Amino acid sequence: MLTACRLRTGSGTASPAAPQRYGYGEDPSQFADLHLPAAGLAVRGVVVIIHGGYWRSTYGAELGEPLAQDLAGRGYACWNLEYRRAGNGGGWPATFDDVAAGIDALAAAAGEHGLDLRSTTALGHSAGGHLAVWAAGRAGLPSGAPGAGVPTVPLTAVVSQAGVLDLGEARRLGLSDGAVENLLGDPGDPERYRFADPMTAIPLNVPVYAVHGMHDATVPLSQSEGYVREATAAGARAELVLVPGDHFAVITPGSEAWERIVGLLDDAADAADAGDPGPPVGG
């Protein structure tokens, strides 16, 4: 059952409303914080923020808080999603179940606040980029797979910020001390690795903007390059967007990389508002 409570924020003069927390399950990590623009400000679109941290419990939704605050000030309604991670009850399949359920829980919150979900972009950083692109392909998963079925809240675009988009390569490279196997477990079960990998869901029917810092030493650029190459070859709408900075520039409001991301969110909202997904976004 979806539950809500109002969160305390600082006492400054910032105009966006205080975020409201919604629980979508019994676990303490099953929640999302809804950030709304100031009263009277038209809602530009809805953004689902999915934080990174190589799927480990060391990192949480606080990583998405500055992004949500910045975007709410620009007129976006933001759903800053938390989920169970490896080390606190997550991993396969719980992390995937949570991301699916957490995004779908946005429907009830949107109903309370009169939000139009026809423009709903997922914005995910690092491991969150993986989960955002995975979530956009949920409808294509076979019955019984985590997250399978028709989403209650379909995503209309994805902006991946240095996303881990090729789990096969990430596993071969042993990124972050074997983070992929830490997430998915049993290496003898190829099915779960296939269902979890965005590469196997190509082509998606929504645009994917793969943003990557040119000096990222945490997630290799090849993760974004390879995904875009395969997606465009399959006729999907995908674009590689190179930006200045390292792995964290893309989640630093005020940076050049962040302003480029805001521009992509604006483009996605414009396309959804027009009711026209448009031609392929690039290659």
Side-chain angles (χ1 to χ4, degrees):
M1 178 179 294
L2 194 68
T3 57
C5 63
R6 190 69 68 175
L7 300 181
R8 294 182 179 181
T9 59
S11 57
T13 58
S15 55
Q20 187 171 356
R21 177 160 295 181
Y22 288 83
Y24 61 88
E26 298 300 322
D27 192 272
S29 291
Q30 293 174 313
F31 71 85
D33 293 335
L34 179 64
H35 294 250
L36 295 171
L41 183 63
V43 176
R44 183 81 178 81
V46 179
V47 178
V48 176
I49 298 173
I50 308 177
H51 73 82
Y54 271 117
W55 309 283
R56 293 188 172 102
S57 59
T58 309
Y59 306 94
E62 68 277 357
L63 292 173
E65 187 77 12
L67 314 188
Q69 292 176 353
D70 182 89
L71 291 172
R74 299 173 188 258
Y76 284 95
C78 295
W79 187 246
N80 188 26
L81 182 63
E82 187 57 285
Y83 51 92
R84 289 172 290 176
R85 287 89 67 208
N88 74 337
W92 180 269
T95 293
F96 299 86
D97 287 335
D98 281 7
V99 170
I103 294 174
D104 283 348
L106 173 57
E112 290 181 14
H113 296 279
L115 298 176
D116 186 345
L117 295 180
R118 287 179 295 178
S119 171
T120 303
T121 301
L123 176 67
H125 176 237
S126 195
H130 156 258
L131 293 169
V133 177
W134 170 85
R138 284 173 52 201
L141 290 169
S143 177
V150 178
T152 303
V153 179
L155 299 173
T156 54
V158 178
V159 177
S160 166
Q161 304 160 287
V164 185
L165 304 184
D166 183 342
L167 293 192
E169 181 194 56
R171 184 184 182 191
R172 289 191 297 273
L173 294 175
L175 295 185
S176 189
D177 297 322
V180 174
E181 290 198 9
N182 188 53
L183 169 70
L184 296 177
D186 186 2
D189 182 358
E191 190 171 79
R192 68 177 65 181
Y193 284 81
R194 184 170 68 254
F195 293 162
D197 196 339
M199 297 293 286
T200 64
I202 290 171
L204 297 182
N205 62 359
V206 300
V208 175
Y209 300 91
V211 183
H212 219 104
M214 291 182 284
H215 302 291
D216 192 326
T218 303
V219 173
L221 176 58
S222 59
Q223 286 284 304
S224 292
E225 288 178 326
Y227 179 86
V228 170
R229 182 174 58 251
E230 295 297 323
T232 54
R237 289 164 288 153
E239 181 176 354
L240 176 66
V241 182
L242 297 178
V243 294
D246 61 9
H247 189 62
F248 299 99
V250 292
I251 56 168
T252 303
S255 69
E256 184 177 342
W258 176 247
E259 291 303 318
R260 183 72 177 96
I261 287 166
V262 172
L264 294 173
L265 293 172
D266 289 344
D267 291 344
D270 287 343
D273 288 345
D276 177 12
V281 295

